[in-house]
Amino acid sequence: AQTVTQSQPEMSVQEAETVTLSCTYDTSESDYYLFWYKQPPSRQMILVIRQEAYKQQNATENRFSVNFQKAAKSFSLKISDSQLGDAAMYFCAYRYAYSGGGADGLTFGKGTHLIIQP
Amino acid sequence: DTGVSQDPRHKITKRGQNVTFRCDPISEHNRLYWYRQTLGQGPEFLTYFQNEAQLEKSRLLSDRFSAERPKGSFSTLEIQRTEQGDSAMYLCASSPRQGVIYEQYFGPGTRLTVT
């Protein structure tokens, strides 16, 4: 079974600085998707960025980018020019590329609490 | 389109009672998922529907839990004979029929407290 590990329970960064959140995963599959979700306090989870495993190029969405290292099974999230609104729980998630066999649900890590210092 | 909605947002119940939660997915999303999130943890997958068919059930979904999605629209999750260990946030998500079909859109969740 696949597992997702986020080793940083909490991270703190000064506003306007850059922060990197770590995520490692374990899977025997070669085709899968990886995601970073943001969960603000008392608000619903929203997708920040996604990466298809077959793509070598790292995904980028405005101030958010990932460093995807397939061989190392590592998928870190970099947030540039941190803003107060970035404060939230961040979850790394994995999904097998094909349906069936329990693969349709996302497997999440335990999350990293990101604090933005003004 | 107002996104995925869930009702109620909060539910307090006594141990042994039955509770039912509702999820309305984004219209025309044919896939619907239920997750459970306990304090300090990431969401854990419970079950998945494609249209009205329940295709996957996690081992976390004990016999006291049942989910339905009649007519492939809204879904309900019922917990019978609730236990204190059922206290959690129950999240619903949906994903579209076409396009980026593996991308899941989450609702605000139903927070269940069993006393």
Side-chain angles (χ1 to χ4, degrees):
Chain A
Q2 60 278 355
T3 57
V4 176
T5 302
Q6 293 179 250
S7 59
Q8 305 154 316
E10 186 173 278
M11 292 283 285
S12 181
V13 64
Q14 292 288 128
E15 194 176 2
E17 297 292 304
T18 295
V19 63
T20 298
L21 308 184
S22 300
C23 172
T24 58
Y25 58 94
D26 188 24
T27 182
S28 57
E29 306 296 343
S30 59
D31 293 331
Y32 50 86
Y33 307 112
L34 295 166
F35 307 87
W36 279 98
Y37 277 88
K38 170 186 177 181
Q39 189 176 41
S42 301
R43 294 182 60 188
Q44 64 203 75
M45 195 169 304
I46 57 174
L47 180 65
V48 174
I49 198 166
R50 67 173 183 269
Q51 175 81 42
E52 291 89 342
Y54 66 85
K55 291 185 176 178
Q56 292 186 337
Q57 186 173 5
N58 289 323
T60 299
E61 289 285 343
N62 301 313
R63 297 183 295 107
F64 299 86
S65 61
V66 299
N67 184 3
F68 173 48
Q69 302 289 328
K70 191 172 184 179
K73 296 181 182 176
S74 171
F75 182 60
S76 61
L77 174 70
K78 185 172 81 172
I79 306 174
S80 303
D81 185 25
S82 298
Q83 300 175 1
L84 294 177
D86 295 333
M89 284 293 293
Y90 285 81
F91 292 96
C92 178
Y94 164 102
R95 184 193 185 279
Y96 179 49
Y98 304 105
S99 292
D104 297 281
L106 295 169
T107 299
F108 285 87
K110 291 188 175 183
T112 296
H113 182 211
L114 179 62
I115 298 167
I116 310 296
Q117 305 279 6
Chain B
D1 193 343
T2 57
V4 179
S5 62
Q6 294 187 244
D7 183 71
R9 296 291 304 276
H10 303 274
K11 178 71 177 178
I12 300 174
T13 191
K14 292 185 177 180
R15 188 178 55 185
Q17 298 294 306
N18 299 344
V19 294
T20 300
F21 311 139
R22 176 180 171 126
C23 170
D24 286 90
I26 294 171
S27 60
E28 312 237 335
H29 278 197
N30 68 332
R31 293 171 171 82
L32 187 148
Y33 306 80
W34 285 99
Y35 293 84
R36 181 175 70 186
Q37 184 178 20
T38 53
L39 205 59
Q41 303 293 321
E44 296 172 294
F45 170 70
L46 292 178
T47 190
Y48 153 66
F49 290 85
Q50 182 165 305
N51 300 312
E52 65 275 6
Q54 188 173 17
L55 297 185
E56 298 289 348
K57 288 197 287 187
S58 160
R59 57 181 168 77
L60 294 175
L61 210 67
S62 75
D63 291 344
R64 296 184 298 105
F65 289 70
S66 63
E68 295 182 342
R69 192 182 182 198
K71 303 179 183 178
S73 55
F74 70 92
S75 176
T76 58
L77 178 68
E78 180 184 17
I79 308 175
Q80 296 182 327
R81 305 180 303 281
T82 52
E83 302 173 355
Q84 287 188 322
D86 297 331
S87 295
M89 177 76 85
Y90 290 84
L91 298 170
C92 176
S94 68
S95 61
R97 179 190 307 272
Q98 296 177 340
V100 186
I101 64 173
Y102 48 80
E103 188 166 315
Q104 297 181 21
Y105 298 79
F106 283 81
T110 294
R111 181 168 297 282
L112 172 66
T113 302
V114 181
T115 62

